[in-house]
Amino acid sequence: MVGKASLRIAAGEWVPWTRVEMLDNDTVTIHGPMDNLLRILANKLNFEYELVQPPDRMWGVAGPDGNWTGMLGMLQRQEVEMAVGPFAVSRARETVCDFSEPVYSENMAILMVRPSLQSDLSGFLKPFTPTVWSLVLAAMVCICLTFATVTWQEAKLFNTSNRRPVSTAVIWVFKALTQESTEWLPKTDGSRLVVTTWLLASLVFMSSYSGILTAMLTVPRVTIPIDSVEDLVTQKDLQWRLEAGSMMFQYYQEATEGIRKAVFDGHEGTFQDCWAARQPIAQGQFAGICDKTTMKKAMSWDFSSTGQCHLYISREVAYSNVMIAMAYRTNSSYKEKADYWLRRVKESGVINLWLQKEITNTSQCLLPPSAGKSTNTVSGLDLDSFMGSIIVLAGGLTTAMLVFLLELCVSWTLAKCDILTTPSTSISPILIQI
């Protein structure tokens, strides 16, 4: 009977695929789906194995001299027979190793802190776009000029008195727009026609505004600032980092133009992997680009630990259909036989079952952030909903008070000047006697 071969196999941590554990005797052991797969291969191919980790704990990237780091560097130097990984397959990596039959198809996306409802000071302006607000302002200016001109011309035509036509027109237009009552109405037909037109326009505008504003306040929506790579590079509020030694790091590093180059130029350092960085990401320290399987595992941990969802996965993927596989050193004699058993395991659906056992409690966290915010009953409005309009009101009252105090100062100054400059009308009795 032929004895079992003894192989050195590289292993790195990629939760939930592989979890690395160091025992007291410095022996490396792993857990997870890749551990199950490796045990099957060892049994079917009749070998024993010793697990080793690269000193830098990385998957591996190519250096300027063509030498690779991490587990891929160990395969390039043929220090190990295979590496469980699994690895994202790329052309560059295929130059230093042979990949197995694909184990899984993965998508890369952005993991970040989950967006939540935030108070919006400018929310009362959101029912209309800036273009609509600009047109309303232009309409007010035109109506004011038209109203003042028609009133002034009709006053001359009918020989009636009309003091301050411009100020009267401006005040009346603002009152009509804000649906404030007024006792004054023009007495001539031309001015009344202008008034009627503006009253109808103001009615339609303010009715639409109040209806839309009410709907926006009672049915809250969560704004998602980052839902794609393009959103990521155009925003300035949340920094992003790349996974060190990963295929995505090399993918963005090799870019020479476009969004890919912007991602690499704007990244603020690296992190070990999304699982290791799950807590800083959930705290909003930075966003990370990595695989969706790890993201779901991080969501599972978050919801199981806290009962809440603090993580969000972007809807648009950064890289789709990435094949992940085990890696062998070039021309390994174990590849062909291992691929046969890997195919059988994959076709049986066992790999998906292993992943399902690793990832639980994600259904709630995979829902959009706005899900569950609206109910069948009307939501009560809190102080934050009116904070923007309250600030405008406070600003208006403050301005009015300052103007009033200025008027008092001017009036008091003018009155004092009149007393000092007005000549006395009384004549001294001594002068009369002279």
Side-chain angles (χ1 to χ4, degrees), residues 328-367:
Y328 305 92
R329 70 182 187 181
T330 305
N331 298 324
S332 172
S333 59
Y334 288 90
K335 181 182 183 307
E336 184 177 354
K337 294 180 180 179
D339 281 353
Y340 169 77
W341 289 106
L342 201 158
R343 279 194 299 270
R344 294 192 61 177
V345 171
K346 186 173 67 171
E347 290 169 359
S348 67
V350 175
I351 294 179
N352 290 332
L353 181 61
W354 290 338
L355 282 178
Q356 289 176 6
K357 290 182 178 179
E358 291 285 335
I359 302 174
T360 57
N361 293 335
T362 58
S363 300
Q364 180 65 31
C365 296
L366 289 174
L367 294 174

Side-chain angles (χ1 to χ4, degrees), residues 91 107 186 192 343 371 414:
R91 290 183 180 180
N107 291 324
R192 290 185 176 183
R343 279 194 299 270
L414 293 177

Side-chain angles (χ1 to χ4, degrees), residues 307-338:
Q308 298 179 352
C309 301
H310 299 101
L311 294 169
Y312 175 73
I313 302 175
S314 65
R315 289 182 295 180
E316 183 177 312
V317 298
Y319 198 107
S320 61
N321 296 326
V322 180
M323 296 294 119
I324 61 174
M326 294 177 60
Y328 305 92
R329 70 182 187 181
T330 305
N331 298 324
S332 172
S333 59
Y334 288 90
K335 181 182 183 307
E336 184 177 354
K337 294 180 180 179

